[in-house]
C-alpha cells in the first residue's frame, strides 16, 4: 500500500494530523488535527479493487464528520461556560474511537477495507481521540466507566457469531478499547503501555491474514493454512491477543487488573475479565479451525504465495516475548 506515492503522502499527513491533535494546546487546533487525520484516511480506504471501499469511505466520513461537529459545538459551549460541554466532547471522542455504545460504524467500516487499512483504523486512528479523552477524565469519569463496561460486553458478545475475520477483529478491537479506557482511569502511562502492546499483537494477526489473503473463517481451513509451524504461530499470536498467560498480551492486562483492584474498581474488573474469557473462546475457534479441519474439504485459492514476511516474524517474536518476560516479573515481584 505504501509503495504508491499518493498513499505515502496521505499516510504522512495522517500521522502529522495525529501528532498535531495530540500535542495541541487548544481544542480548536486539536479539531484541526483530527480533520487532517480524517481527510488523509479517506483516500487510503478508497480502492478500485475493493467494491465495498466506497461504502466504507462514506460511512467513515459521515460518522467522523458528525463527531467533529460535536467537538466544535462542545468547544464553543466551553467558552460560554455551559455545563454539558465536557459531556458532549467526551461523546464525540468516543464516537471517533468506536467505543460502545457508539460502535455501530466500526465493524461496518472494517468489513469494507483491506487488512493494511484495518491496521491503521484499529491502531493509529485511536491515538488522537484517546489522548484527548485522557484530558477529560475528571469531568467525564462516570461516562468513561460506563462506556468501558459496555465496550467489554459488546466486544465479547459481538464477535461470537462472526464468520468474517475483519468484523471479528473489529469486535476484538472494541473489547480492547474497554481495557484501554479502564487503564486511562488509572494513569496515562498505563494506557500508553497497554495501547503499545495491543498494537503489536493486533498488527501481528492482521498482517498474517493479509499475507494469507484470509477474509472468511473458512479460509483458515484451506490448504494455504495447512502448514503446522505457521498454524502454531497464528495459534500463539491469537492467545497473546486474548491475554492468556504467559504471552505478551497478558502483561498489560495483568498490570491493569492489579491497579483496578487496588483502586476498588471491582465491578469494572469483573466485566473486563468476563469479556476477555469470551474473546478467548472465539480466538480458540479461529486457531483450532486451522489445526483440526482437513484441507480437502474446501478448495479456496489465494492470491499470493504461501509466504510470511520478516516483518511478521519480528512482530511474532515481540508477541511471544512474554514467555520469557512473565517468569522474570513473577520471580522478581
Amino acid at each position: 500500500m505504501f509503495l504508491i506515492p499518493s498513499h505515502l503522502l496521505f499516510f504522512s499527513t495522517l500521522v502529522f494530523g495525529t501528532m498535531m491533535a495530540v500535542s495541541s494546546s487548544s481544542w480548536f487546533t486539536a479539531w484541526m488535527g483530527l480533520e487532517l487525520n480524517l481527510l488523509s484516511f479517506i483516500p487510503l480506504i478508497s480502492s478500485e479493487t475493493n467494491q465495498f471501499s466506497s461504502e466504507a469511505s462514506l460511512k467513515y466520513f459521515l460518522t467522523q464528520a458528525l463527531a467533529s461537529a460535536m467537538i466544535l459545538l462542545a468547544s464553543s459551549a466551553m467558552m460560554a461556560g455551559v455545563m454539558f460541554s465536557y459531556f458532549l466532547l467526551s461523546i464525540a471522542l468516543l464516537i471517533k474511537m468506536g467505543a460502545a455504545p457508539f460502535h455501530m460504524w466500526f465493524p461496518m467500516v472494517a468489513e469494507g477495507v483491506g487488512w493494511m487499512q484495518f491496521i491503521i483504523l484499529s491502531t493509529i486512528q485511536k491515538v488522537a481521540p484517546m489522548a484527548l479523552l485522557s484530558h477529560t477524565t475528571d469531568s467525564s469519569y462516570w461516562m468513561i466507566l460506563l462506556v468501558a463496561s459496555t465496550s467489554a460486553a459488546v466486544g465479547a458478545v459481538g464477535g461470537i457469531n462472526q464468520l468474517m475475520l475483519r468484523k471479528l477483529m473489529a469486535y476484538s478491537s472494541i473489547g480492547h478499547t474497554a481495557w484501554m479506557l479502564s487503564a486511562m482511569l488509572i494513569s496515562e502511562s498505563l494506557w500508553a503501555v497497554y495501547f503499545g502492546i495491543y498494537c503489536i499483537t493486533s498488527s501481528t494477526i492482521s498482517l498474517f491474514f493479509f499475507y494469507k489473503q484470509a477474509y472468511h473463517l473458512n479460509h483458515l481451513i484451506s490448504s494455504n493454512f495447512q502448514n503446522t509451524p505457521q498454524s502454531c504461530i497464528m495459534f500463539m499470536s491469537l492467545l497473546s491477543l486474548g491475554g492468556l498467560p504467559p504471552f505478551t498480551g497478558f502483561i498489560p492486562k495483568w498490570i491493569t487488573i492489579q491497579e483496578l483492584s487496588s483502586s476498588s474498581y471491582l465491578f469494572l474488573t469483573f466485566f473486563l475479565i468476563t469479556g476477555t474469557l469470551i474473546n478467548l473462546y472465539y480466538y480458540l475457534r479461529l486457531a483450532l479451525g486451522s489445526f483440526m479441519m482437513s484441507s480437502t474439504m474446501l478448495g479456496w485459492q489465494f492470491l499470493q504465495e504461501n509466504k510470511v514476511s520478516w516483518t511478521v516474524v519480528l512482530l511474532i517474536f515481540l508477541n511471544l516475548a512474554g514467555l520469557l518476560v512473565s517468569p522474570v516479573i513473577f520471580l522478581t515481584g
Side-chain angles (χ1 to χ4, degrees):
M1 180 183 77
F2 302 115
L3 298 179
I4 303 175
S6 61
H7 285 184
L8 181 61
L9 172 64
F10 287 123
F11 181 75
S12 301
T13 55
L14 183 146
V15 174
F16 177 75
T18 301
M19 295 174 61
M20 180 179 177
V22 171
S23 60
S24 63
S25 57
S26 66
W27 287 110
F28 180 73
T29 53
W31 171 80
M32 291 178 60
L34 291 172
E35 288 301 295
L36 180 60
N37 178 282
L38 164 63
L39 296 177
S40 301
F41 189 55
I42 296 296
L44 294 178
I45 299 178
S46 303
S47 174
E48 296 180 356
T49 59
N50 187 355
Q51 59 180 338
F52 301 107
S53 62
S54 299
E55 180 183 353
S57 302
L58 182 60
K59 290 177 180 178
Y60 184 79
F61 174 76
L62 292 176
T63 305
Q64 299 295 314
L66 172 63
S68 298
M70 293 174 65
I71 291 176
L72 279 181
L73 178 61
S75 59
S76 302
M78 285 180 193
M79 297 179 63
V82 180
M83 295 184 61
F84 71 89
S85 57
Y86 280 101
F87 177 79
L88 186 63
L89 180 65
S90 300
I91 291 179
L93 295 174
L94 290 168
I95 291 174
K96 277 189 169 291
M97 73 178 68
F102 315 105
H103 69 285
M104 286 72 71
W105 64 272
F106 192 78
M108 293 187 291
V109 172
E111 181 61 24
V113 301
W115 280 115
M116 299 302 292
Q117 289 84 355
F118 175 79
I119 293 175
I120 299 175
L121 179 66
S122 60
T123 55
I124 299 178
Q125 295 300 90
K126 289 182 180 290
V127 174
M130 284 197 171
L132 294 174
L133 186 66
S134 64
H135 299 304
T136 66
T137 52
D138 294 335
S139 55
S140 57
Y141 168 80
W142 289 105
M143 175 180 289
I144 295 177
L145 194 66
L146 179 61
V147 169
S149 303
T150 308
S151 297
V154 170
V157 177
I160 292 178
N161 294 324
Q162 292 297 329
L163 298 178
M164 308 303 294
L165 296 180
R166 284 168 296 184
K167 274 193 174 182
L168 192 147
M169 292 295 292
Y171 281 106
S172 171
S173 178
I174 294 172
H176 284 280
T177 300
W179 283 88
M180 286 182 264
L181 291 174
S182 303
M184 189 184 298
L185 293 174
I186 304 299
S187 67
E188 292 188 16
S189 58
L190 180 58
W191 163 75
V193 169
Y194 191 102
F195 182 77
I197 295 180
Y198 164 72
C199 289
I200 294 174
T201 54
S202 178
S203 299
T204 302
I205 302 299
S206 300
L207 282 174
F208 194 86
F209 290 154
F210 169 73
Y211 284 109
K212 295 298 183 180
Q213 290 296 293
Y215 297 99
H216 195 276
L217 187 63
N218 288 333
H219 291 175
L220 301 184
I221 59 177
S222 69
S223 59
N224 203 32
F225 273 85
Q226 298 307 311
N227 184 318
T228 303
Q230 293 183 10
S231 297
C232 290
I233 288 172
M234 187 187 69
F235 180 73
M236 290 187 290
S237 299
L238 283 169
L239 294 181
S240 179
L241 181 64
L244 189 71
F247 296 98
T248 304
F250 170 69
I251 296 175
K253 291 189 176 182
W254 184 10
I255 300 174
T256 304
I257 290 173
Q258 286 184 329
E259 294 297 328
L260 289 174
S261 299
S262 60
S263 301
S264 301
Y265 290 105
L266 300 180
F267 186 73
L268 178 59
T269 305
F270 170 78
F271 264 94
L272 294 175
I273 294 176
T274 304
T276 299
L277 291 176
I278 301 176
N279 288 340
L280 278 171
Y281 162 73
Y282 56 78
Y283 292 150
L284 286 172
R285 183 181 62 178
L286 285 180
L288 293 178
S290 63
F291 272 113
M292 303 183 65
M293 301 299 289
S294 172
S295 63
T296 59
M297 293 180 64
L298 291 174
W300 294 91
Q301 297 295 324
F302 283 73
L303 302 177
Q304 298 185 7
E305 296 180 0
N306 193 15
K307 295 180 180 179
V308 176
S309 72
W310 285 103
T311 306
V312 181
V313 174
L314 176 61
L315 288 173
I316 288 169
F317 173 76
L318 295 174
N319 211 5
L320 305 181
L323 291 170
L324 303 175
V325 177
S326 297
V328 175
I329 296 177
F330 179 76
L331 292 175
T332 55

